[in-house]
Amino acid sequence: MAQLDRPDAKTYRGKKADMGGTMTADSTGHATSAAAVVTALEEDIVLGRLQPRERLIEEELAERFAVKRHLIRQAIAGLERLGLIEHVRHRGAVVRLYTAQEVEDINAVRDLLEGHAASLVALPAPDADLAALSAIAERHLAAITAGRHRETFRSNLEFHSRLFRLCGNCALVAAIEMHAQKSHAYRSILVNDQSYQEWAADAHLAMIEAMRRGDREALVRLCREHLTPAKNRYIEVWNSRYS
């Protein structure tokens, strides 16, 4: 289980080849944009490679990604806008450590947004949409079985993005994605929990089946329940350390 925080939280020493982040790259394999660096560091946070309160050092990140420091500064600003890092006096940029109350607040907003989006999806869903979601769910389960955490993370995002786009409200989908990104700062708490990952995969299949049957009540309930485990585990660990 990923740690929430450590009193001696270390400085992040960026590694080049073994961190596994997906980036836009040129022919040399180097990152070519601040957005590519954001994507890679976002994955490092979600997958527990970067821990809460760990420092991000511009010089080391520039070396890892083989980019100029101004691109690293842009990436750090982007991560701050996403709520994944913050600036701490005398320490600089660090991975954000959310309080239990902040996590409760984020989850409450996500519950409202995602439950409402599920209530707007046209049911029963067309066969083409069900097939697309089923294909993503299969890839997600295969990634879990093979222990490919990055692919598990990305295919999970793809599944929910594809589902919520069916609500037909682009502004609502954008709000869902914004608050989901904030949750990346604490969802690493379950990244290595195989039983949770398998539960999530089963929940995806249950959502598809509810859409097939036209069971709106079940779909809304499943979407809302999907948010609970990571939130509860994070708050449990937080309270054991800081209450």
Side-chain angles (χ1 to χ4, degrees):
M1 182 176 70
Q3 297 178 3
L4 274 183
D5 180 39
R6 293 157 297 177
D8 60 342
K10 67 179 184 295
T11 298
Y12 176 53
R13 304 292 176 182
K15 299 179 182 178
K16 291 182 181 178
D18 60 348
M19 298 302 284
T22 296
M23 297 180 292
T24 303
D26 59 20
S27 59
T28 67
H30 296 160
T32 58
S33 70
V37 177
V38 168
T39 296
L41 292 177
E42 178 188 30
E43 289 180 354
D44 287 350
I45 292 169
V46 171
L47 300 180
R49 297 167 180 149
L50 279 171
Q51 294 289 322
R53 290 187 177 172
E54 219 170 309
R55 296 178 63 200
L56 280 71
I57 306 301
E58 288 182 12
E59 182 179 358
E60 294 167 355
L61 292 172
E63 180 182 359
R64 169 188 167 184
F65 294 111
V67 298
K68 300 295 185 182
R69 288 182 65 173
H70 76 274
L71 284 180
I72 297 300
R73 286 192 288 272
Q74 290 176 21
I76 288 174
L79 289 165
E80 190 168 17
R81 286 192 296 272
L82 293 176
L84 297 179
I85 70 165
E86 60 186 341
H87 278 83
V88 176
R89 188 177 182 183
H90 304 311
R91 298 199 68 217
V94 301
V95 178
R96 184 165 178 175
L97 176 67
Y98 279 100
T99 66
Q101 186 58 56
E102 287 172 327
V103 171
E104 287 278 17
D105 292 345
I106 291 169
N107 195 78
V109 174
R110 294 188 67 197
D111 183 271
L112 288 171
L113 294 174
E114 297 186 19
H116 183 54
S119 76
L120 297 177
V121 174
L123 298 179
D127 289 343
D129 292 327
L130 294 172
L133 287 168
S134 295
I136 299 169
E138 288 176 8
R139 286 193 282 106
H140 178 247
L141 180 57
I144 293 169
T145 302
R148 298 191 297 267
H149 297 313
R150 181 195 154 272
E151 187 178 341
T152 298
F153 166 59
R154 288 295 169 191
S155 57
N156 179 69
L157 292 185
E158 184 183 1
F159 179 88
H160 291 283
S161 177
R162 184 71 174 79
L163 190 159
F164 290 129
R165 286 204 308 271
L166 297 177
C167 79
N169 185 324
C170 294
L172 178 56
V173 172
I176 288 171
E177 292 179 351
M178 179 182 71
H179 285 84
Q181 283 181 310
K182 291 181 184 296
S183 76
H184 293 174
Y186 59 83
R187 66 189 301 168
S188 63
I189 202 83
L190 289 173
V191 69
N192 292 314
D193 190 322
Q194 186 74 10
S195 63
Y196 164 74
Q197 299 295 345
E198 292 172 354
W199 172 86
D202 287 342
H204 290 171
L205 298 178
M207 291 175 194
I208 294 169
E209 183 56 30
M211 295 171 69
R212 191 187 314 278
R213 297 195 313 267
D215 189 341
R216 187 172 307 284
E217 181 179 353
L219 178 61
V220 172
R221 174 179 52 78
L222 288 163
C223 287
R224 296 176 69 181
E225 288 177 350
H226 209 65
L227 303 173
T228 304
K231 183 262 293 186
N232 285 351
R233 181 73 67 84
Y234 184 94
I235 290 173
E236 177 186 350
V237 175
W238 170 275
N239 287 337
S240 71
R241 295 187 179 196
Y242 301 109
S243 292

